[in-house]
Amino acid sequence: MLYQRSSALFKEAEQVIPGGVNSPVRAFKAVGGTPLFAKSAKGAYVYDEDDNRYIDYINSWGPMILGHAFDPVVNAVIEKAKNGTSFGMPTEIETKIAELAVSMVPNVDKIRFVNSGTEACMSAVRLARGYTGKEKIIKFAGCYHGHSDSFLIQAGSGAVTFGSPNSPGVTQGTAKDTLLARYNDIENVKALVQANKGEIACIIIEPVAGNMGCIPTKPNFLKDLRALCSTHNILLIFDEVMTGFRLAKGGVQELYSVDADILCFGKVIGGGLPVGAFAARNEIMNHLAPLGAVYQAGTLSGNPLAMAAGLAMLNAIDSDDDLFERLAEKTAYLHKGCAEVLTKHGIIHTINREGSMISIHFAKDEVVDFESAAKGNNDTFKAFFHGMLNEGIYIAPSAFETWFISDALSYDDLDETIRAVSKVAQSL
Ligand SMILES: *Cc1c(COP(=O)(O)O)cnc(C)c1O
């Protein structure tokens, strides 16, 4: 494939945008090479500026669960834009999407819309602190909750000490309030809670992880977390920015039959426009300004174009009773096909899957947490990524990302993908 125009555009972008991108993972740093510049996309395919076509497994990092340029979303945005793009006043459509979201998600009464998943998680933690009057939080190594300071934390020395900043600019003061736990390890979480008795406001988790590749939680892990939180008056936050409206209409709460206290959303809920949201029961949500004292705001929050896109997306999902089954079947088909050809060509791998999230870890052992994910062979991944790209298959340019299956993918597309995996595997 030729990437001349993408290369030229990247060089131009690098002059005026740091690293040429507005979000680091787009830059291909983890895999080497030059990022592709997107020109257009429709259904299962994305086209770059050199007019190469790719079967897309990134899908804008999740939102395009029904495929690119999904007509009801596109039309809703066009129609809405004709009446003005922002007012800074309440609009009816905000209530409409709130009503629908609250009806789909278990265990919530109210929802507040923001502009990104980062904002949703940041606000959820503030709300949890305001509600409980406590300051520390627990997050899990390898889980991503956006780029606000409290989450850019890595494990400190020793399992029961506080974390340390993993980006310059994050203060030690902030880092000391974030404790790091091991994913899927309830004993580790219990030890942290024990060592910080009465000080922990919330535990935030990706209830199925997607930011260290796909890693589902073990049976009972979420239920054990729920019980631990209830015992110690800690709020449980499910960051469903990736899993919400993707793994089930009601997200992981519905899928695993576990109640969280605060839910965070993003990605699918905005249908491809910049939207995030957080939701909870009245007793918690009523602490938010202007009802309560916990401050949170946004000039463009609930923007009519964004709400129109999100509403069209949620309506399509809510009215399709077979969607999640179809997606899971397609993903299982891909899983089986990839596993067969990788095994045939002797490539060491572990495939994790939940619903429409799947990832191939080039690791020998089970991948259950960040440590085991990090054991994957990154050189194999790099070669695999570029091989797939050359075959017209676009997967995330990092071993620590999941593949997102969209409903626009046909079984022909999946077969083409499996053939590509087979071909690429021969040269790994
Ligand atoms: C993408 C993501 C975020 C951050 O959302 P942005 O819209 O990129 O700010 C937070 N949490 C999870 C689980 C995510 O996957």
Side-chain angles (χ1 to χ4, degrees), residues 61 72 88 132 134 170 181 187 199 227 250 314 339:
W61 302 93
T132 60
K134 297 186 279 185
V170 175
E187 292 311 320
E199 294 184 274
L314 294 196

Side-chain angles (χ1 to χ4, degrees), residues 314-330:
L314 294 196
N315 266 325
I317 292 171
D318 191 45
S319 60
D320 186 341
D321 287 330
D322 306 322
L323 173 65
F324 295 104
E325 210 178 293
R326 263 195 329 272
L327 284 168
E329 279 168 10
K330 286 178 185 180

Side-chain angles (χ1 to χ4, degrees), residues 101 105 108 111 114 116-118 120-121 238-245 249-251 253 263-269 275-279:
V105 178
V108 302
I111 186 165
V114 295
S116 68
T118 294
C121 295
F238 277 5
D239 175 357
E240 297 224 42
V241 170
M242 191 178 283
T243 54
F245 309 102
K249 281 183 193 178
Q253 283 192 111
L263 286 304
C264 303
F265 298 106
K267 302 195 168 112
V268 174
I269 200 173
V275 180
F278 58 106

Side-chain angles (χ1 to χ4, degrees), residues 81-111:
K82 293 177 184 167
N83 293 327
T85 58
S86 180
F87 309 104
M89 297 158 69
T91 53
E92 183 180 6
I93 195 168
E94 293 165 75
T95 309
K96 290 280 176 270
I97 185 173
E99 284 170 348
L100 181 56
V102 164
S103 78
M104 292 170 79
V105 178
N107 192 36
V108 302
D109 299 312
K110 291 198 176 96
I111 186 165

Side-chain angles (χ1 to χ4, degrees), residues 71-89:
D71 287 330
V73 169
V74 172
N75 293 335
V77 172
I78 291 171
E79 280 313 306
K80 211 59 182 167
K82 293 177 184 167
N83 293 327
T85 58
S86 180
F87 309 104
M89 297 158 69

Side-chain angles (χ1 to χ4, degrees), residues 8-28:
L9 288 169
F10 185 55
K11 284 207 181 73
E12 192 182 339
E14 281 182 299
Q15 302 307 308
V16 284
I17 300 173
V21 293
N22 282 312
S23 194
V25 74
R26 295 177 198 167
F28 277 26

Side-chain angles (χ1 to χ4, degrees), residues 96-359:
K96 290 280 176 270
I97 185 173
E99 284 170 348
L100 181 56
V102 164
S103 78
M104 292 170 79
V105 178
N107 192 36
V108 302
D109 299 312
K110 291 198 176 96
I111 186 165
R112 168 72 53 90
F113 285 92
V114 295
N115 304 288
S116 68
T118 294
E119 244 188 284
C121 295
M122 176 184 85
S123 306
V125 165
R126 184 183 306 138
L127 178 58
R129 285 173 164 154
Y131 177 81
T132 60
K134 297 186 279 185
E135 297 198 347
K136 290 184 180 171
I137 69 171
I138 293 179
K139 82 172 282 285
F140 292 87
C143 282
Y144 180 68
H145 307 293
H147 65 92
S148 88
D149 287 9
S150 300
F151 302 126
L152 295 183
I153 306 296
Q154 60 198 358
S157 52
V160 187
T161 62
F162 46 78
S164 62
N166 71 358
S167 162
V170 175
T171 65
Q172 295 289 348
T174 296
K176 78 172 178 25
D177 287 330
T178 300
L179 310 169
L180 264 284
R182 201 175 307 122
Y183 202 72
N184 273 324
D185 183 348
I186 194 68
E187 292 311 320
N188 180 242
V189 187
K190 282 183 180 166
L192 279 175
V193 170
Q194 213 55 43
N196 296 272
K197 254 203 158 137
E199 294 184 274
I200 296 170
C202 61
I203 297 178
I204 184 166
I205 185 168
E206 289 181 65
V208 168
N211 286 291
M212 40 186 169
C214 174
I215 304 183
T217 35
K218 288 182 178 166
N220 292 324
F221 181 65
L222 294 176
K223 289 198 165 108
D224 290 345
L225 265 189
R226 171 70 275 168
L228 185 67
C229 286
S230 298
T231 305
H232 293 273
N233 193 23
I234 295 168
L235 294 189
L236 180 58
I237 304 178
F238 277 5
D239 175 357
E240 297 224 42
V241 170
M242 191 178 283
T243 54
F245 309 102
R246 167 166 289 281
L247 295 185
K249 281 183 193 178
V252 176
Q253 283 192 111
E254 177 188 322
L255 195 67
Y256 285 22
S257 303
V258 185
D259 283 345
D261 296 304
I262 307 179
L263 286 304
C264 303
F265 298 106
K267 302 195 168 112
V268 174
I269 200 173
L273 268 78
V275 180
F278 58 106
R281 299 181 304 275
N282 280 326
E283 52 163 319
I284 298 170
M285 279 315 254
N286 291 352
H287 283 257
L288 267 189
L291 276 184
V294 178
Y295 194 68
Q296 189 280 324
T299 301
L300 291 174
S301 293
N303 172 271
L305 302 192
M307 296 296 94
L311 182 58
M313 182 63 114
L314 294 196
N315 266 325
I317 292 171
D318 191 45
S319 60
D320 186 341
D321 287 330
D322 306 322
L323 173 65
F324 295 104
E325 210 178 293
R326 263 195 329 272
L327 284 168
E329 279 168 10
K330 286 178 185 180
T331 313
Y333 183 86
L334 186 66
H335 181 162
K336 185 164 171 283
C338 290
E340 273 169 15
V341 297
L342 288 170
T343 302
K344 183 171 138 210
H345 295 295
I347 307 297
I348 289 170
H349 70 280
T350 299
I351 298 180
N352 282 359
R353 165 170 65 91
E354 178 75 71
S356 55
M357 292 162 60
I358 180 171
S359 49

